[in-house]
Amino acid sequence: VTDARPARLAALRARLLAREVDALLVSALPNVRYLTGFSGSHALLVVSARDVVLLTDVRYATQAEAEAGAVARVEIEPVSLWTRLWRVLPALAGVTRVGFESAHLAHRDAQRVLDQGARWTWWPLVDEVEALRERKDAGEVAAIRAAGALAGRALARALAEVRVGLSETAVAGILERALRDEGSEGFPFPTIVASGPQSALPHARPSRRVLARGDLLLLDFGAVVDGYVSDVTRTVVLGAASPEQAELHAVVREAQARARTGVRAGMSGRDADALARRYIDDRGWGEAFGHSLGHGIGLEVHEGPRLSRAAEAALPPGAVVTIEPGVYRPGWGGVRIEDDVWLGPDGPDPLTDFPRDLLEVG
Ligand code: ZN
Ligand code: ZN
């Protein structure tokens, strides 16, 4: 496997040149990880034309060198990364104009930059590293594919244990236990388990509500492999599905299939969204599909590109995106089906493949 980091750093440097800055101060941890491999929870990174300097604290002395030492000079700072920054920056040749990540720098830290960094010119930049992260390389796709397969195995194990009488929080525990048993490094977001009328809330939190026969049960969860996430939703029913439940599920399943197989790199996020939305609209459920079709995934569960009515940008080749239409009837319940696809050269390549039929469980 080739090391992707030198190419990522080169691509970032080309962007910085175009923005006419001499260096970028990277403070968003997923961006630090993408560029250097460092996976710790506390770091600042400076990338200039010649240098890559990673500042972190003593907890990560061994880990930082092991993960990032091949591409970055690692400096371990016992007190304050910012104090250290003011010692590191003057030593970097040719650096007078410095970009910072305006979407990620806390106001308090921006104040430090203005107070203590007055000898440099600071330039706010947005999405410079995030834009690179939208196009996944082979190693990233492989990690997400593994996270997708892992999520499917965990769901199969968990559904075998789901029963009427369990609470939503207990089901979340069963699913999270299965994810861990299958090898997930963590949970990319708080697991959503929503039963009965709760399933009409697109982002419900698991409650103490007890599953009853005839409930819809919506599970939205993911796995993490090598830092990369999957994001999957299935909606099942406890016992036998009613005709209404089956009908609504079939509408969402068909809308999802159209978008999942029809989405292409180069298409706008809006046109991708319309692949599912038009079908749902035509069946009279347009008002009940309030959220967007999907989002990019990678080191984070929500990243670019966006697939929504407002997304005019073209989906970049190599992006990994979710396809997750849903229909929600307040007080009754909702159905969402979510899969992850890689927008490869031959069209959409599914990275999650758990069955999409309306499963009757318990
Ligand atoms: Zn999800
Ligand atoms: Zn999602």
Side-chain angles (χ1 to χ4, degrees):
V1 180
T2 56
D3 185 352
R5 294 170 298 177
R8 294 172 187 174
L9 288 162
L12 177 63
R13 283 169 168 146
R15 293 182 74 96
L16 299 184
L17 200 62
R19 300 281 179 270
E20 300 180 322
V21 297
D22 305 312
L24 178 66
L25 173 63
V26 183
S27 54
L29 291 169
N31 290 343
V32 171
R33 183 165 188 173
Y34 179 76
L35 294 168
T36 69
F38 177 61
S39 64
S41 65
H42 190 210
L44 288 174
L45 177 72
V46 182
V47 179
S48 72
R50 287 186 217 167
D51 294 287
V52 181
V53 186
L54 176 70
L55 312 181
T56 185
D57 67 62
V58 289
R59 292 172 297 168
Y60 295 116
T62 306
Q63 179 186 333
E65 195 56 50
E67 289 180 334
V71 295
R73 190 174 87 231
V74 175
E75 299 222 358
I76 303 301
E77 164 60 40
V79 182
S80 161
L81 302 190
W82 288 93
T83 307
R84 186 64 158 245
L85 181 67
W86 308 130
R87 282 194 271 138
V88 165
L89 265 189
L92 299 185
V95 172
T96 58
R97 214 167 120 95
V98 186
F100 64 94
E101 298 184 294
S102 68
H104 303 296
L105 202 63
H107 182 264
R108 182 188 58 181
D109 296 330
Q111 207 62 50
R112 296 184 216 264
V113 162
L114 296 176
D115 292 347
Q116 293 154 51
R119 59 179 278 192
W120 296 273
T121 303
W122 294 90
W123 200 253
L125 294 173
V126 177
D127 290 347
E128 295 298 336
V129 184
E130 286 86 341
L132 300 176
R133 284 170 49 196
E134 289 191 10
R135 296 169 186 245
K136 269 62 182 180
D137 60 40
E140 295 180 290
V141 175
I144 300 171
R145 197 186 297 278
L150 196 163
R153 293 196 301 274
L155 182 59
R157 283 170 73 147
L159 287 180
E161 292 181 46
V162 168
R163 296 279 179 276
V164 165
L166 288 174
S167 67
E168 292 174 354
T169 52
V171 172
I174 290 167
L175 180 52
E176 290 179 350
R177 172 68 195 262
L179 286 161
R180 283 297 200 179
D181 283 348
E182 289 289 341
S184 183
E185 292 158 19
F187 311 112
F189 56 91
T191 300
I192 294 172
V193 174
S195 64
Q198 286 287 106
S199 60
L201 309 173
H203 261 213
R205 217 171 273 144
S207 74
R208 292 193 185 81
R209 185 182 185 280
V210 171
L211 309 190
R213 189 153 301 283
D215 277 351
L216 288 170
L217 178 66
L218 185 154
L219 306 116
D220 186 350
F221 63 98
V224 187
V225 172
D226 294 338
Y228 284 82
V229 311
S230 58
D231 183 8
V232 177
T233 306
R234 289 292 182 272
T235 307
V236 301
V237 66
L238 273 296
S242 72
E244 265 183 313
Q245 288 170 336
E247 192 186 323
L248 199 66
H249 190 275
V251 169
V252 175
R253 188 179 52 194
E254 174 61 20
Q256 203 251 7
R258 288 178 180 219
R260 184 162 41 79
T261 58
V263 64
R264 294 286 186 281
M267 181 181 268
S268 72
R270 179 174 39 207
D271 288 348
D273 178 274
L275 292 171
R277 192 171 303 281
R278 203 173 300 125
Y279 182 83
I280 291 172
D281 273 344
D282 289 348
R283 263 123 211 104
W285 292 107
E287 300 275 304
F289 174 24
H291 57 73
S292 56
L293 179 68
H295 52 85
I297 57 172
L299 288 169
E300 293 180 281
V301 70
H302 288 114
E303 42 180 77
R306 304 282 158 185
L307 288 69
S308 78
R309 279 170 285 192
E312 287 166 29
L315 304 175
V320 174
V321 299
T322 69
I323 303 292
E324 50 177 308
V327 169
Y328 310 93
R329 292 175 61 185
W332 183 85
V335 174
R336 179 166 69 254
I337 303 172
E338 175 177 29
D339 284 291
D340 307 335
V341 301
W342 173 53
L343 306 183
D346 304 319
D349 181 2
L351 305 182
T352 51
D353 62 357
F354 192 84
R356 298 173 189 92
D357 303 324
L358 179 52
L359 296 180
E360 300 178 334
V361 303

